[in-house]
């Protein structure tokens, strides 16, 4: 999820390895940029029919064992054989096409369904199980459509612009918007815009504000569409790694609170605030934070870790999904699974089965614009990573056109998402890891992934599986996902130069962001206005939302400082980096050679005990000489 161009792992100085297709340069004809010219329809039909009746067409020569067999210590051997690399436009055997498409879908489905589960659940607008079922299915359908468009890539007629990346760029619902929406809904329930039940704890459904979130996101999406025509270099300058990394880190850190609350038994429910009341999950009742709930959520966490340690390439890329499934199986076996939700779910689902009244909230405009900036920055980084692992250029005209096409497709599909009754979407980064793991960059597997996501959304029972899971299971795997978001932010921060200027900007942003993260309501009592002016109330709400949302306040302050504080002179930067490099090298030598550090310490102590040479009596000098000699002998023995 970074916006940094990683250094390409493909060594171009060694030439092109076998099986790698070299695409023409960007300066060639436009149709060549999009891939090889298609053959006639008749020849295509013959090739397809032939592939359906041959072993080569179904299986190919792929090593399926390396993809599927897990590593078990002392039982199986690690695979040393290198898998073949499938290029962007290469055809895949039918079985491999389905497996790799399913792998991409499973790698992202856990993160894809998390925002709708949170927004429609008790932690969000509490829209009810039926709306939650619909929202999960609608997000799967729309993300399948968005993925197909990103993979396709075509040139906009009579312009020099493209639409789509032409790579395996999958789309899922955005965590940045989910974070803002949850914060806004929390504020809406607190100020009375949304209502509580008579107990003062249980949230009543608030569809009006959910519709306002979708409507505001749709209107502010025009900002992202405009950004897609700005050169990526200018966007990276406005949002350098220092700012983007901090924003991502705080987004993940803020969402972890929701994940942990669900892990302990539920968020936004009576039992979460009144610990004398038991939480209901399926046919079981337990206290919030009980060992039962914690253990149930930990089962998801443990399975994810086990998949990473011993799983095959397929299991590692889909570890979050496997963790969720195992957690659900354990929940069903112990009575925590709500079977009624699956039974009552519709067999099929589609977009616009449910709708909400779309409206605009002025208080959400600035926070939404910041979220759109995050989406654009994420897309640039994700397309860069996908280009790198797909062995495509990560510099030059062709690369810039892929960035532009990816950002434009992302912005348009995310903007139209509100009209499709779903939250905005963005490109996901974890699928770049799937490409590197399976050595498959073929776009055909991207189309298969889009088809599987679309099919998952149409089948209503599939979305019901996630809604029927107990809150502790959802919390277990979402905590891992949110931790991954925060970790991606830390990784992006590693690309910053960390000059004195950068450290100062980061200190200010981190300080204010941490303040809002640790004490969420610290700014709630700043304004004392009690009048009836809707405009003033809206402005106050917007300011409070920005200040109390960690990634918004940190981003706002850091962007201003980044524009106002002049860059350091190249000589100063080089001098500081040289000093930092020398210091880090010395520290590394000392930590890697502890005896050297110990010798230095002992010799310094000896010199202090001996005193300056020539001082004191002869016996004192002799004592000093002896004191110097013995430790040196000891240090020689240690060496």
């Amino acid at each position: 999820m970074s916006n940094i161009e990683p250094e390409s792992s493909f060594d171009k100085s060694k030439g092109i390895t076998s099986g790698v297709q070299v695409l023409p340069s960007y300066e060639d004809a436009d149709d060549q940029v999009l891939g090889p010219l298609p053959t006639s329809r008749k020849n295509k039909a013959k090739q397809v029919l032939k592939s359906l009746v041959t072993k080569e067409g179904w299986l190919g020569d792929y090593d399926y064992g390396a993809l599927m067999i897990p590593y078990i210590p002392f039982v199986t051997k690690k695979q040393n054989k290198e898998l073949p690399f499938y290029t962007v436009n290469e055809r895949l055997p039918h079985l491999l096409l389905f497996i790799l498409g399913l792998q991409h879908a499973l790698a992202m489905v856990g993160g894809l369904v998390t925002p709708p589960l949170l927004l429609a659940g008790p932690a969000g607008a509490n829209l009810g199980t039926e709306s939650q079922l619909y929202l999960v299915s609608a997000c799967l359908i729309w993300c399948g459509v968005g993925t197909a468009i990103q993979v396709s890539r075509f040139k906009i007629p009579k312009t020099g612009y493209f639409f789509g990346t032409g790579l395996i760029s999958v789309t899922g619902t955005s965590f940045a918007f989910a974070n803002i929406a949850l914060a806004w809904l929390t504020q809406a329930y607190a100020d009375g815009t949304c209502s509580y039940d008579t107990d003062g704890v249980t949230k009543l459904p608030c569809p009006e504000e959910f519709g306002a979130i979708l409507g505001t996101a749709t209107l502010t999406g025009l900002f992202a569409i405009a950004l897609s025509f700005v050169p990526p270099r200018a966007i990276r300058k406005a949002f350098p790694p220092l700012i983007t990394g901090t924003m991502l880190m705080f987004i993940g850190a803020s969402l972890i609170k929701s994940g942990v609350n669900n892990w302990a038994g539920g968020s936004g429910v009576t039992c979460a605030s009144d610990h004398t009341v038991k939480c209901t999950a399926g046919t079981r009742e337990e206290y919030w934070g009980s060992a039962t709930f914690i253990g149930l959520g930990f089962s998801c966490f443990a399975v994810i870790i086990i998949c990473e340690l011993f799983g095959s390439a397929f299991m590692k890329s889909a570890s979050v999904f496997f963790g969720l499934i195992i957690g659900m199986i354990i929940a069903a076996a112990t009575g925590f699974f709500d079977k009624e939700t699956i039974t009552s779910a519709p067999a099929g689902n589609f977009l616009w089965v449910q709708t909400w009244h779309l409206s605009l909230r002025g208080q959400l405009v600035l926070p939404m614009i910041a979220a759109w900036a995050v989406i654009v920055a994420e897309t640039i980084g994700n397309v860069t990573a996908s280009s790198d692992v797909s062995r495509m250029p990560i510099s030059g005209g062709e690369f810039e056109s892929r960035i532009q096409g990816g950002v434009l497709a992302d912005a348009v599909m995310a903007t139209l998402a509100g009209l499709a009754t779903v939250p905005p979407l963005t490109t996901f980064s974890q699928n770049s890891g799937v490409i590197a793991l399976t050595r498959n960059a073929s776009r055909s597997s991207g189309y298969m992934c889009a088809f599987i996501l679309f099919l998952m959304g149409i089948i209503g029972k599939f979305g019901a599986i996630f809604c029927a899971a107990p809150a502790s299971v959802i919390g277990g795997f979402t905590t891992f996902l949110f931790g991954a978001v925060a970790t991606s932010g830390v990784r992006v921060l590693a690309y910053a130069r960390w000059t004195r200027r950068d450290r100062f900007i980061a200190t200010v942003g981190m300080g204010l962001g941490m303040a809002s993260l640790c004490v969420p309501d610290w700014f709630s009592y700043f304004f004392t206005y009690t009048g009836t002016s809707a405009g003033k109330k809206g402005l106050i709400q917007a300011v409070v939302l920005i200040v109390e949302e960690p990634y918004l306040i940190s981003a706002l302050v850091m962007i201003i400082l980044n524009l106002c504080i002049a860059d350091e002179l190249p000589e100063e930067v080089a001098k500081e980096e040289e000093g930092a490099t020398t210091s880090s090298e010395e520290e590394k030598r000392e930590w890697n050679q502890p005896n050297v550090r110990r010798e230095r310490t002992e010799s310094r102590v000896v010199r202090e005990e001996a005193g300056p040479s020539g001082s004191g009596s002869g016996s004192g000098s002799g004592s000093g000489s002896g004191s110097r000699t013995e430790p040196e002998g000891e240090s020689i023995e240690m060496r």
Side-chain angles (χ1 to χ4, degrees):
M1 298 175 63
S2 72
N3 69 327
I4 305 303
E5 296 184 12
E7 184 179 354
S8 176
S9 58
F10 178 52
D11 190 354
K12 300 177 179 59
S13 63
K14 296 181 181 179
I16 306 298
T17 58
S18 60
V20 179
Q21 179 182 0
V22 183
L23 293 183
S25 63
Y26 178 76
E27 287 76 12
D28 295 340
D30 293 332
D31 55 350
Q32 290 180 329
V33 174
L34 299 178
L37 292 174
T39 58
S40 65
R41 293 182 179 179
K42 186 176 181 180
N43 290 337
K44 275 189 173 182
K46 287 183 178 180
Q47 291 176 2
V48 171
L49 291 175
K50 183 179 179 181
S51 67
L52 292 175
V53 296
T54 61
K55 179 181 178 181
E56 183 70 20
W58 278 98
L59 301 179
D61 58 353
Y62 194 82
D63 187 359
Y64 292 91
L67 181 66
M68 306 298 292
I69 298 177
Y71 169 67
I72 304 175
F74 310 110
V75 177
T76 58
K77 294 182 179 180
K78 287 189 175 181
Q79 297 287 338
N80 296 322
K81 180 182 177 182
E82 190 177 57
L83 296 173
F85 185 84
Y86 290 94
T87 56
V88 171
N89 295 306
E90 195 166 349
R91 296 176 63 89
L92 297 177
H94 299 310
L95 178 61
L96 183 62
L97 173 63
F98 174 76
I99 292 175
L100 294 179
L102 179 64
Q103 185 177 19
H104 278 286
L106 295 182
M108 62 179 293
V109 70
L112 190 157
V113 301
T114 298
L117 287 174
L118 293 177
L119 293 178
N126 200 21
L127 300 176
T129 303
E130 186 178 350
S131 296
Q132 201 174 30
L133 286 170
Y134 164 75
L135 202 57
V136 169
S137 296
C139 286
L140 287 166
I141 293 172
W142 191 250
C143 290
V145 175
T147 298
I149 289 177
Q150 281 284 26
V151 174
S152 298
R153 177 173 162 84
F154 57 87
K155 187 175 181 180
I156 301 175
K158 299 182 180 180
T159 68
Y161 297 104
F162 289 83
F163 199 76
T165 64
L167 304 169
I168 304 179
S169 298
V170 297
T171 58
T173 43
S174 171
F175 286 112
F177 279 95
N179 200 14
I180 290 177
L182 290 174
W184 170 252
L185 290 170
T186 300
Q187 189 181 91
Y189 277 103
D191 62 20
T193 305
C194 298
S195 304
Y196 284 99
D197 203 352
T198 53
D199 59 5
V201 177
T202 305
K203 296 178 179 178
L204 295 177
C206 193
E208 295 82 7
E209 293 309 307
F210 183 75
I213 291 170
L214 297 182
T216 307
T218 299
L219 291 176
T220 53
L222 299 175
F223 171 74
I225 295 176
L227 275 183
S228 65
F229 297 101
V230 177
R233 189 182 303 273
I235 297 176
R236 285 192 290 263
K237 186 175 181 180
F239 297 94
L242 187 68
I243 296 176
T244 309
T246 304
M247 294 171 74
L248 291 174
M249 185 188 69
F250 278 127
I251 288 173
S254 300
L255 288 171
I256 283 177
K257 179 181 178 181
S258 175
V260 173
N261 280 328
N262 279 321
W263 189 342
S267 177
V269 292
T270 304
C271 60
S273 56
D274 186 358
H275 299 307
T276 61
V277 178
K278 289 186 176 182
C279 301
T280 302
T283 59
R284 298 282 299 273
E285 290 185 350
E286 297 288 343
Y287 287 108
W288 191 90
S290 66
T292 306
F293 281 142
I294 300 297
L296 194 58
F298 183 74
S299 65
C300 300
F301 223 83
V303 170
I304 294 173
I305 296 173
I306 292 173
C307 286
E308 185 63 30
L309 290 175
F310 308 112
S312 62
F314 184 88
M315 294 175 65
K316 287 181 179 179
S317 60
S319 59
V320 174
F321 181 78
F322 284 119
L324 177 61
I325 292 299
I326 297 299
M328 289 180 178
I329 293 174
I330 296 174
T334 53
F336 287 95
F337 200 76
D338 186 6
K339 299 178 182 178
E340 181 62 28
T341 301
I342 298 180
T343 304
S344 60
N349 225 329
F350 201 71
L351 300 175
W352 303 293
V353 171
Q354 289 192 28
T355 57
W356 290 274
H357 176 70
L358 303 184
S359 58
L360 175 67
R361 290 289 183 271
Q363 304 93 312
L364 285 172
V365 171
L366 288 179
M368 289 288 186
I369 288 177
W372 283 114
V374 172
I375 281 184
V376 171
E378 283 179 352
T379 303
I380 293 175
N382 294 337
V383 175
T384 301
S386 296
S387 297
D388 185 31
V389 296
S390 300
R391 298 187 178 181
M392 303 299 289
I394 56 171
S395 61
E398 180 185 342
F399 170 69
E400 295 291 333
S401 72
R402 291 189 187 277
I403 292 286
Q404 177 272 314
V407 173
L408 179 59
D410 217 24
V412 171
M413 294 304 297
T415 301
L416 296 178
L419 301 180
T421 67
V422 298
L425 51 81
T426 184
T427 53
F428 272 18
S429 61
Q430 55 263 47
N431 291 74
S432 300
V434 177
I435 297 173
L437 201 61
T438 60
R439 297 173 59 81
N440 164 59
S442 176
R443 292 192 298 168
S444 57
S445 59
Y447 286 119
M448 178 58 69
C449 171
F451 173 74
I452 292 174
L453 290 176
F454 190 84
L455 193 63
M456 288 177 177
I458 290 179
I459 301 174
K461 300 291 185 181
F462 182 82
I465 295 175
F466 300 98
C467 298
S472 54
V473 171
I474 299 297
F477 89 92
T478 55
T479 300
F480 177 85
L481 287 176
F482 299 150
V485 175
T487 302
S488 67
V490 175
R491 179 181 178 274
V492 173
L493 285 173
Y495 289 97
R497 293 182 302 170
W498 290 111
T499 60
R500 184 185 181 281
R501 173 183 179 273
D502 287 355
R503 292 195 297 270
F504 177 80
I505 294 174
T507 300
V508 177
M510 287 284 186
L512 292 175
M514 287 293 182
S516 298
L517 182 66
C518 298
V519 189
D521 59 347
W522 72 284
F523 200 75
S524 298
Y525 310 102
F526 180 83
F527 297 102
T528 58
Y529 179 75
T530 57
T532 58
S533 173
K536 290 183 179 179
K537 286 184 176 180
L539 179 61
I540 290 173
Q541 285 179 320
V543 173
V544 171
L545 180 62
I546 292 173
V547 174
E548 292 188 349
E549 186 58 41
Y551 92 88
L552 290 178
I553 183 60
S554 62
L556 178 63
V557 173
M558 293 175 75
I559 289 173
I560 294 174
L561 292 178
N562 185 55
L563 295 175
C564 295
I565 300 178
D567 284 330
E568 296 183 7
L569 296 176
E571 296 81 3
E572 296 178 357
V573 175
K575 185 177 180 180
E576 186 172 351
E577 290 180 350
E578 182 181 356
T581 303
T582 304
S583 176
S584 62
E585 289 177 353
E586 291 178 355
E587 291 176 358
K588 187 183 296 184
R589 281 199 302 270
E590 288 191 1
W591 282 110
N592 291 334
Q593 301 177 18
N595 288 340
V596 174
R597 185 171 69 254
R598 184 173 178 181
E599 290 170 19
R600 291 180 179 177
T601 304
E602 290 178 346
S603 61
R604 184 172 62 252
V605 172
V606 169
R607 286 195 299 270
E608 292 175 354
E609 292 177 352
S613 59
S615 62
S617 61
S619 61
S621 300
S623 174
S625 176
S627 299
R628 284 193 300 270
T629 304
E630 290 176 4
E632 288 179 359
E634 292 176 2
S635 63
I636 291 173
E637 289 178 2
M638 285 191 293
R639 285 198 296 270

